[in-house]
Amino acid sequence: MKFFVDTAEIAEIRELQDTGLLDGVTTNPSLVKKSGRDFLEVVKEIAGVVKGPVSAEVVATDYDGMMREAEVLRNIADNIAVKVPLTIDGLKTCKSLTSEGTMVNVTLCFSANQALLAAKAGASFISPFVGRLDDISQPGIELIADIRLIYDNYDFATEILVASVRNPIHILEAAKIGADAMTAPAAVIKQLFKHPLTDNGIAAFLKDWEATGQKI
């Protein structure tokens, strides 16, 4: 499973990049607003830090507007994935961009039917939002299983990029299903490292080592 971090904070990206575990970055207008920086400047810097796909989202809602903004975004760097919403105009934009060799991340997916349409439009990534479905008492992880089944049935190349990840359980369940990638806040990714028995083991080893009085 590929690990993407969902952030526009360069410090968080650099920290995870140093672990060697980071495969890409996803951003959106809300995250960029939170960073307090210029959108294009942030995207350019992120694309220079990571080698993998960097999703940068259009804000236009019509086809012409999306294509105009996509042209600006994809010229920033070769690893930019233009992020479009799952609407008719969004999928029309997706088809045009992927036909020209541009990576496209279709976002705001909440149903398997939507995911099927995105795959037929040639999406590089589909981003189903599991956490937001959980918020309205619909099991988001079941959507991932449905999409995996459909994509496997027809050998679609579109990668399932699980989004709106709120906790390590979302990541675990998505990995068990066979999702291609997930994107989560840095804090959630860091939770994957943690286990009380690991911490206790380190503490015990250090205590015993200190008692020997030796040095390495």
Side-chain angles (χ1 to χ4, degrees), residues 112-125:
N113 284 337
Q114 289 180 318
L116 174 59
L117 294 174
K120 287 182 67 64
S124 308
F125 303 97

Side-chain angles (χ1 to χ4, degrees), residues 205-216:
F205 290 156
L206 288 176
K207 181 178 179 181
D208 291 341
W209 177 251
E210 289 172 358
T212 70
Q214 300 181 55
K215 293 184 179 181
I216 296 177

Side-chain angles (χ1 to χ4, degrees), residues 174-192:
K176 288 162 65 176
I177 290 167
D180 300 287
M182 72 86 204
T183 185
V188 173
I189 294 176
K190 289 179 182 178
Q191 288 177 31
L192 298 175

Side-chain angles (χ1 to χ4, degrees), residues 100-112:
E100 297 172 358
T102 298
M103 289 187 293
V104 176
N105 179 356
V106 177
T107 190
L108 293 171
C109 173
F110 295 98
S111 78

